[in-house]
Amino acid sequence: MKIKSLIIDDNPFIIDLLTEQLRQKHPTVEVLATALSGKEGLGKIRDLQPDLIFLDVELPDMTGFEMLAQLQDITFQTIFITSFSHYAIKAIRFNALDYLVKPIDQKELTQALKRFQSSHSSFNPQQVRVALQNLKTEKPADQTLYLPTQDGGLNLVLKNIVRIEGERNYSYIFLKNNSRKLSSKTLGYFEELLSDKGFCRCHRSHLVNGDHVKMFQKEGMLLLSDNGIIPVSRRKKQEVKKWMKERR
């Protein structure tokens, strides 16, 4: 079965390279058309109804996110294309979206297409809507973390997360309504995504939300809003104290 795709990028070299990589190694992915700008891309999407688009994060007339925001119905999946930009990649990963870094590596492309095929039947356009809303939400506490699950996905508003506890290759997310969710992501994954959104790794097994820390106890423990008490590792003690002071 053919996968109808579009490539939207302002660099003709990247378009030609990706088109050739798909032609040679992934013949089931049919490139219906290409576009050099967001405006041109919007027209092609509406006319051709693709299954998949490869979308540059930075287009000459708008960002890739701004382009998607102009669409009423999103019936396709997106693989973003970006030059190495920590901010752009972090935003994409926070929203559980997929991306490729320029210049596009053939192995990375193959992996991205495998992820597309495995998730295509369960694709939820709401995931993209959440991502677009996050980009318009100034306060990190009001942003929503999307986590793919076997049942579809979890949308967790950051201010509702009290802490995250890691246990080997998975994590427990503790919410302020006293419930908890299980994620297959590691604590290191959450630390990378949330360290600039008010969360702090206070211990090898614990990541806490600063909005839910009530006090640092003398015994080297954190008292949280749910009355939970979380240890602070000895080597993290000064770092955590500094973090708490900067949040006041």
Side-chain angles (χ1 to χ4, degrees):
M1 181 178 169
K2 287 283 188 180
I3 299 165
K4 299 183 295 179
S5 74
L6 295 177
I7 303 173
I8 305 171
D9 194 296
D10 65 340
N11 187 332
F13 173 76
I14 294 295
I15 288 178
D16 290 345
L17 176 65
L18 181 52
T19 301
E20 187 60 20
Q21 286 175 316
L22 292 170
R23 187 186 67 80
Q24 287 189 6
K25 301 290 185 179
H26 305 281
T28 57
V29 182
E30 180 184 4
V31 180
L32 300 178
T34 64
L36 295 168
S37 69
K39 184 179 179 181
E40 185 183 3
L42 286 168
K44 296 283 176 68
I45 289 170
R46 288 168 178 144
D47 290 343
L48 299 172
Q49 299 293 304
D51 304 309
L52 172 67
I53 66 169
F54 297 90
L55 177 60
D56 192 3
V57 171
E58 293 290 339
L59 294 164
D61 53 346
M62 62 186 80
T63 68
F65 289 109
E66 287 169 342
M67 193 204 81
L68 291 176
Q70 293 187 41
L71 292 165
Q72 228 172 7
D73 296 310
I74 295 176
T75 58
F76 53 84
Q77 285 177 256
T78 301
I79 297 175
F80 287 93
I81 309 171
T82 179
S83 300
F84 186 78
S85 160
H86 187 66
Y87 172 78
I89 290 173
K90 203 164 185 180
I92 292 166
R93 292 190 65 205
F94 178 78
N95 293 290
L97 302 172
D98 213 343
Y99 68 93
L100 294 166
V101 176
K102 300 176 186 179
I104 295 166
D105 178 78
Q106 181 64 59
K107 289 181 181 178
E108 293 296 324
L109 174 60
T110 298
Q111 290 303 312
L113 288 171
K114 282 182 180 178
R115 289 190 292 269
F116 162 79
Q117 288 169 329
S118 65
S119 64
H120 185 54
S121 60
S122 59
F123 169 63
N124 183 359
Q126 182 62 24
Q127 182 182 345
V128 179
R129 294 294 177 205
V130 169
L132 297 174
Q133 186 58 46
N134 279 338
L135 292 167
K136 293 190 289 185
T137 303
E138 290 185 16
K139 286 180 64 178
D142 293 328
Q143 293 179 355
T144 299
L145 176 67
Y146 179 87
L147 292 172
T149 67
Q150 289 182 334
D151 302 323
L154 279 176
N155 288 318
L156 301 174
V157 180
L158 294 189
K159 64 186 175 186
N160 294 334
I161 300 174
V162 177
R163 65 184 178 93
I164 304 174
E165 183 175 340
E167 193 166 320
R168 296 187 180 176
N169 293 323
Y170 54 91
S171 302
Y172 289 104
I173 303 166
F174 291 80
L175 305 175
K176 71 177 186 180
N177 64 1
N178 294 319
S179 68
R180 72 176 187 177
K181 304 293 183 182
L182 178 64
S183 171
S184 59
K185 302 296 186 183
T186 65
L187 194 63
Y189 172 88
F190 287 112
E191 180 185 16
E192 184 183 352
L193 286 190
L194 301 175
S195 59
D196 62 349
K197 296 182 184 293
F199 286 71
C200 178
R201 180 86 172 260
C202 63
H203 184 275
R204 67 179 182 179
S205 300
H206 299 285
L207 184 72
V208 295
N209 183 347
D211 289 341
H212 289 279
V213 176
K214 291 172 73 173
M215 65 179 293
F216 187 103
Q217 298 181 325
K218 290 181 181 178
E219 300 83 4
M221 311 288 277
L222 293 177
L223 176 64
L224 305 183
S225 63
D226 62 355
N227 293 319
I229 297 175
I230 300 300
V232 178
S233 66
R234 189 177 301 172
R235 67 184 183 86
K236 287 276 191 177
K237 190 174 289 186
Q238 293 307 315
E239 182 185 328
V240 171
K241 284 183 176 179
K242 182 183 176 186
W243 169 73
M244 290 182 65
K245 187 176 180 181
E246 288 172 349
R247 289 185 56 83
R248 287 175 188 165

Coordinates of all heavy atoms in Angstrom, one line a residue, residues 164-168 171 186-192 194-195 198-210 222 230-233 235-237 239-240 243:
I164 N 7.7 12.7 39.8 CA 7.8 11.5 38.9 C 8.9 10.6 39.6 O 10.0 11.1 39.9 CB 8.2 11.9 37.5 CG1 7.2 12.8 36.9 CG2 8.4 10.6 36.6 CD1 7.6 13.4 35.5
E165 N 8.6 9.4 39.7 CA 9.5 8.4 40.3 C 10.0 7.4 39.3 O 9.2 6.8 38.7 CB 8.9 7.8 41.5 CG 9.8 6.8 42.3 CD 9.2 6.3 43.6 OE1 8.2 6.9 44.0 OE2 9.6 5.2 44.0
G166 N 11.3 7.3 39.2 CA 11.8 6.3 38.2 C 12.1 4.9 38.8 O 12.5 4.9 40.0
E167 N 11.8 3.9 38.0 CA 12.1 2.6 38.5 C 12.6 1.8 37.3 O 11.8 1.3 36.4 CB 10.8 1.9 39.1 CG 11.1 0.6 39.8 CD 9.9 0.2 40.7 OE1 9.3 1.1 41.3 OE2 9.7 -1.0 40.7
R168 N 13.9 1.7 37.2 CA 14.5 1.0 36.0 C 14.1 1.7 34.7 O 14.4 2.8 34.5 CB 14.3 -0.5 36.0 CG 14.9 -1.2 37.2 CD 14.7 -2.7 37.2 NE 15.3 -3.3 38.4 CZ 15.3 -4.6 38.6 NH1 14.7 -5.4 37.7 NH2 15.8 -5.1 39.7
S171 N 8.6 4.7 34.6 CA 8.4 5.8 35.6 C 6.9 5.8 36.1 O 6.0 5.6 35.3 CB 8.8 7.2 35.1 OG 10.1 7.2 34.6
T186 N 11.9 6.6 30.7 CA 12.7 6.6 31.9 C 12.7 8.0 32.6 O 12.3 9.0 32.0 CB 14.2 6.3 31.5 OG1 14.7 7.4 30.7 CG2 14.3 5.0 30.7
L187 N 13.2 8.0 33.8 CA 13.3 9.3 34.6 C 14.2 10.3 33.8 O 13.9 11.5 33.8 CB 13.7 9.0 36.0 CG 13.5 10.2 37.0 CD1 12.0 10.5 37.1 CD2 14.2 9.9 38.3
G188 N 15.3 9.8 33.2 CA 16.2 10.6 32.5 C 15.5 11.3 31.3 O 15.7 12.5 31.0
Y189 N 14.5 10.6 30.7 CA 13.7 11.2 29.6 C 12.9 12.4 30.1 O 12.9 13.4 29.5 CB 12.8 10.1 29.0 CG 11.8 10.6 28.0 CD1 12.1 10.7 26.7 CD2 10.5 11.0 28.4 CE1 11.2 11.1 25.7 CE2 9.6 11.4 27.5 CZ 9.9 11.5 26.2 OH 9.0 11.9 25.3
F190 N 12.3 12.2 31.3 CA 11.4 13.3 31.8 C 12.3 14.4 32.3 O 11.9 15.6 32.2 CB 10.6 12.7 33.0 CG 9.4 11.9 32.5 CD1 9.4 10.5 32.8 CD2 8.4 12.4 31.8 CE1 8.3 9.7 32.3 CE2 7.3 11.6 31.3 CZ 7.3 10.3 31.6
E191 N 13.5 14.1 32.9 CA 14.4 15.2 33.3 C 14.8 16.1 32.2 O 14.8 17.3 32.3 CB 15.6 14.6 34.0 CG 16.6 15.6 34.5 CD 17.9 15.0 35.0 OE1 18.1 13.8 34.8 OE2 18.6 15.7 35.7
E192 N 15.1 15.5 31.1 CA 15.5 16.3 29.9 C 14.4 17.2 29.4 O 14.6 18.3 29.0 CB 16.0 15.3 28.8 CG 16.5 16.1 27.6 CD 16.9 15.2 26.4 OE1 16.9 13.9 26.6 OE2 17.2 15.7 25.3
L194 N 11.7 18.3 31.1 CA 11.0 19.1 32.1 C 11.9 20.0 33.0 O 11.5 20.8 33.8 CB 10.1 18.2 33.0 CG 9.1 17.4 32.4 CD1 8.4 16.5 33.4 CD2 8.1 18.3 31.6
S195 N 13.2 19.9 32.8 CA 14.2 20.6 33.6 C 14.0 22.1 33.5 O 14.4 22.9 34.4 CB 15.6 20.2 33.3 OG 15.9 20.4 32.0
G198 N 10.3 24.0 35.4 CA 10.0 24.0 36.9 C 10.2 22.7 37.6 O 9.9 22.6 38.8
F199 N 10.8 21.7 37.0 CA 11.1 20.4 37.6 C 12.5 20.3 38.0 O 13.4 20.8 37.3 CB 10.6 19.3 36.7 CG 9.1 19.1 36.6 CD1 8.4 20.0 35.9 CD2 8.5 18.0 37.2 CE1 7.0 19.9 35.8 CE2 7.1 17.8 37.1 CZ 6.4 18.8 36.4
C200 N 12.8 19.5 39.0 CA 14.2 19.3 39.5 C 14.5 17.9 39.8 O 13.7 17.3 40.5 CB 14.5 20.2 40.7 SG 16.2 20.1 41.4
R201 N 15.6 17.3 39.4 CA 16.0 16.0 39.7 C 16.7 16.1 41.1 O 17.9 16.5 41.1 CB 16.9 15.4 38.6 CG 17.4 14.0 38.9 CD 16.5 13.0 38.4 NE 17.0 11.6 38.4 CZ 17.5 11.0 37.3 NH1 17.5 11.5 36.1 NH2 17.9 9.7 37.4
C202 N 16.1 15.7 42.1 CA 16.7 15.8 43.5 C 17.3 14.6 43.9 O 18.0 14.6 45.0 CB 15.6 16.3 44.5 SG 14.3 15.1 44.7
H203 N 17.2 13.5 43.2 CA 17.6 12.2 43.6 C 17.7 11.3 42.4 O 16.9 11.6 41.4 CB 16.7 11.6 44.7 CG 17.1 10.3 45.3 ND1 16.8 9.1 44.7 CD2 17.7 10.0 46.4 CE1 17.2 8.1 45.5 NE2 17.8 8.7 46.5
R204 N 18.4 10.3 42.4 CA 18.5 9.4 41.2 C 17.2 8.8 40.8 O 16.9 8.4 39.7 CB 19.5 8.3 41.4 CG 19.2 7.3 42.4 CD 20.2 6.2 42.5 NE 19.9 5.2 43.5 CZ 20.6 4.1 43.8 NH1 21.8 4.0 43.2 NH2 20.2 3.3 44.7
S205 N 16.2 8.7 41.8 CA 14.9 8.1 41.5 C 13.8 9.1 41.5 O 12.6 8.7 41.3 CB 14.6 7.0 42.6 OG 15.6 6.0 42.6
H206 N 14.1 10.4 41.7 CA 13.0 11.3 41.9 C 13.2 12.6 41.1 O 14.2 13.2 41.2 CB 12.8 11.7 43.4 CG 12.4 10.5 44.2 ND1 11.2 9.9 44.2 CD2 13.2 9.8 45.1 CE1 11.2 8.9 45.1 NE2 12.4 8.8 45.6
L207 N 12.1 13.1 40.5 CA 12.0 14.4 39.8 C 10.8 15.1 40.4 O 9.7 14.5 40.4 CB 11.8 14.1 38.3 CG 11.8 15.4 37.4 CD1 13.2 16.0 37.3 CD2 11.3 15.0 36.0
V208 N 11.0 16.3 40.9 CA 9.8 17.0 41.6 C 9.5 18.2 40.9 O 10.3 18.9 40.2 CB 10.2 17.3 43.1 CG1 10.4 16.0 43.9 CG2 11.4 18.2 43.2
N209 N 8.2 18.6 41.0 CA 7.6 19.8 40.4 C 7.8 20.9 41.5 O 7.2 20.8 42.6 CB 6.2 19.6 40.0 CG 5.6 20.8 39.4 OD1 6.1 21.9 39.4 ND2 4.4 20.7 38.8
G210 N 8.5 22.0 41.2 CA 8.8 23.1 42.1 C 7.5 23.7 42.7 O 7.5 24.1 43.8
L222 N 12.4 16.6 51.0 CA 11.5 17.6 50.5 C 10.1 17.2 50.9 O 9.7 16.1 50.7 CB 11.6 17.7 49.0 CG 12.9 18.3 48.4 CD1 12.8 18.2 46.9 CD2 13.1 19.7 48.9
I230 N 10.2 13.3 50.0 CA 11.1 12.8 49.0 C 12.5 13.1 49.4 O 12.8 14.2 49.8 CB 10.8 13.4 47.7 CG1 9.3 13.1 47.2 CG2 11.7 12.9 46.6 CD1 9.0 11.7 47.1
P231 N 13.4 12.1 49.3 CA 14.8 12.3 49.7 C 15.5 13.2 48.7 O 15.2 13.1 47.5 CB 15.4 10.9 49.7 CG 14.6 10.1 48.8 CD 13.2 10.7 48.9
V232 N 16.5 13.9 49.2 CA 17.4 14.7 48.4 C 18.8 14.0 48.5 O 19.3 13.9 49.7 CB 17.5 16.2 48.8 CG1 18.5 16.9 47.9 CG2 16.1 16.8 48.7
S233 N 19.4 13.6 47.4 CA 20.7 12.9 47.6 C 21.8 13.9 48.0 O 21.6 15.1 47.9 CB 21.1 12.4 46.2 OG 21.4 13.4 45.3
R235 N 24.8 14.6 47.1 CA 25.5 15.4 46.1 C 24.5 16.4 45.4 O 25.0 17.4 44.8 CB 26.1 14.5 45.1 CG 25.1 13.7 44.2 CD 25.9 12.8 43.2 NE 25.0 12.1 42.4 CZ 24.5 12.6 41.2 NH1 24.9 13.8 40.8 NH2 23.7 11.9 40.5
K236 N 23.2 16.3 45.6 CA 22.3 17.2 45.0 C 21.8 18.3 46.0 O 21.1 19.2 45.6 CB 21.0 16.4 44.5 CG 21.3 15.6 43.3 CD 21.1 16.4 42.0 CE 21.1 15.6 40.8 NZ 20.8 16.4 39.6
K237 N 22.2 18.2 47.3 CA 21.6 19.1 48.3 C 21.8 20.5 48.0 O 20.8 21.3 48.0 CB 22.2 18.7 49.6 CG 21.5 19.4 50.8 CD 22.1 18.9 52.1 CE 21.7 17.5 52.4 NZ 22.1 17.1 53.8
E239 N 22.6 22.0 45.1 CA 21.9 22.3 43.9 C 20.4 22.5 44.1 O 19.8 23.5 43.5 CB 22.1 21.2 42.9 CG 21.5 21.4 41.5 CD 21.7 20.2 40.6 OE1 22.7 19.5 40.7 OE2 20.8 20.0 39.7
V240 N 19.8 21.7 44.9 CA 18.3 21.8 45.2 C 18.0 23.0 46.0 O 17.1 23.7 45.7 CB 17.8 20.5 45.9 CG1 16.4 20.7 46.4 CG2 17.9 19.3 44.9
W243 N 18.2 25.9 43.6 CA 17.0 25.9 42.8 C 15.8 26.4 43.5 O 15.0 27.2 42.9 CB 16.8 24.5 42.3 CG 15.5 24.2 41.6 CD1 15.2 24.6 40.3 CD2 14.4 23.4 42.1 NE1 13.9 24.1 40.0 CE2 13.4 23.4 41.1 CE3 14.1 22.8 43.3 CZ2 12.2 22.8 41.3 CZ3 12.9 22.2 43.5 CH2 12.0 22.1 42.5

